[in-house]
Amino acid sequence: GIQVEQSPPDLILQEGANSTLRCNFSDSVNNLQWFHQNPWGQLINLFYIPSGTKQNGRLSATTVATERYSLLYISSSQTTDSGVYFCAVALPAGGGNKLTFGTGTQLKVEL
Amino acid sequence: NAGVTQTPKFRVLKTGQSMTLLCAQDMNHEYMYWYRQDPGMGLRLIHYSVGEGTTAKGEVPDGYNVSRLKKQNFLLGLESAAPSQTSVYFCASSGIESRAFFGQGTRLTVV
């Protein structure tokens, strides 16, 4: 099956710092999404971004489908950004938009 | 608009007992999914459905059964619970070629 690798696995930031999270995938995909799992376990969909660039407030994401990677940028980080960030992808074949998840980047933002 | 709702939120089972996890979505989504999340392993797909009356196996289907009798509901059953099924279970739904939205999770412990 498709492999999804995220880096770095862990990240500690001071409040106000910027960061870039990376997602590499091993096959062509037609669906790529970024999720934030907050400390209470809730999974929030941040972006649906199979290609191109999107921005939502302090967060932005870029997917270069031809090179099989995606980046999530967090600017001016806040303590509420803490949690785990997951990248998930789905293959064009097979139907159902079945997502395969990476193992995540654990982010901690400190005061 | 409730989104995706899972019941129960917590459950403790004895080995060999059975239970059903309920998932309901109010977004008229075609696709529904059950994932499990274990420490350090991200989320893994158990079963999924591409429409009312359909179900299909995911990555880790053994020991689970599912049913989708109504478009808005997706049920996950454990016929004979085992300690290896201790996990956090997430239900999700999505439209065709669109973002996935997750429920709040069910924390299941099998003793």
Side-chain angles (χ1 to χ4, degrees):
Chain A
I2 189 169
Q3 302 299 312
V4 183
E5 296 181 353
Q6 293 186 241
S7 60
D10 299 280
L11 186 59
I12 299 175
L13 298 175
Q14 294 296 311
E15 195 172 47
N18 303 327
S19 62
T20 300
L21 282 57
R22 187 176 179 102
C23 172
N24 293 331
F25 43 95
S26 61
D27 207 340
S28 297
V29 301
N30 66 346
N31 186 333
L32 187 144
Q33 302 183 42
W34 283 97
F35 296 88
H36 175 220
Q37 187 168 38
N38 64 25
W40 296 270
Q42 188 178 9
L43 280 158
I44 305 298
N45 191 303
L46 299 175
F47 293 103
Y48 169 79
I49 185 165
S51 63
T53 298
K54 290 186 178 180
Q55 182 159 3
N56 184 1
R58 297 181 295 104
L59 302 182
S60 64
T62 295
T63 297
V64 183
T66 53
E67 298 186 21
R68 300 181 183 173
Y69 73 89
S70 182
L71 302 174
L72 178 69
Y73 306 97
I74 304 174
S75 64
S76 303
S77 58
Q78 301 176 358
T79 56
T80 52
D81 295 330
S82 296
V84 183
Y85 289 81
F86 289 104
C87 168
V89 302
L91 296 172
N97 278 336
K98 304 182 296 295
L99 291 174
T100 297
F101 282 75
T103 53
T105 292
Q106 176 88 49
L107 173 65
K108 183 177 182 181
V109 181
E110 299 177 333
L111 291 172
Chain B
N1 190 339
V4 181
T5 303
Q6 293 181 229
T7 52
K9 292 182 175 57
F10 302 94
R11 185 72 186 269
V12 178
L13 285 180
K14 293 182 179 179
T15 297
Q17 286 185 320
S18 63
M19 77 164 294
T20 301
L21 281 65
L22 310 179
C23 177
Q25 54 96 3
D26 61 4
M27 295 173 282
N28 200 35
H29 283 164
E30 290 296 326
Y31 301 155
M32 296 188 74
Y33 316 86
W34 278 105
Y35 290 87
R36 61 178 287 173
Q37 184 177 28
D38 301 296
M41 299 188 72
L43 283 83
R44 293 181 293 168
L45 183 65
I46 305 171
H47 286 281
Y48 67 101
S49 168
V50 298
E52 180 178 317
T54 75
T55 63
K57 294 180 179 179
E59 180 185 356
V60 287
D62 293 344
Y64 305 96
N65 56 77
V66 288
S67 64
R68 183 120 181 251
L69 299 180
K70 295 183 178 180
K71 185 177 183 179
Q72 64 269 31
N73 297 333
F74 196 29
L75 279 60
L76 177 71
L78 286 73
E79 292 185 348
S80 179
S84 60
Q85 295 178 303
T86 294
S87 188
V88 181
Y89 292 85
F90 286 97
C91 176
S93 71
S94 75
I96 297 172
E97 296 184 358
S98 71
R99 302 166 67 176
F101 294 91
F102 281 77
Q104 73 276 35
T106 297
R107 186 172 296 275
L108 174 66
T109 302
V110 183
V111 298

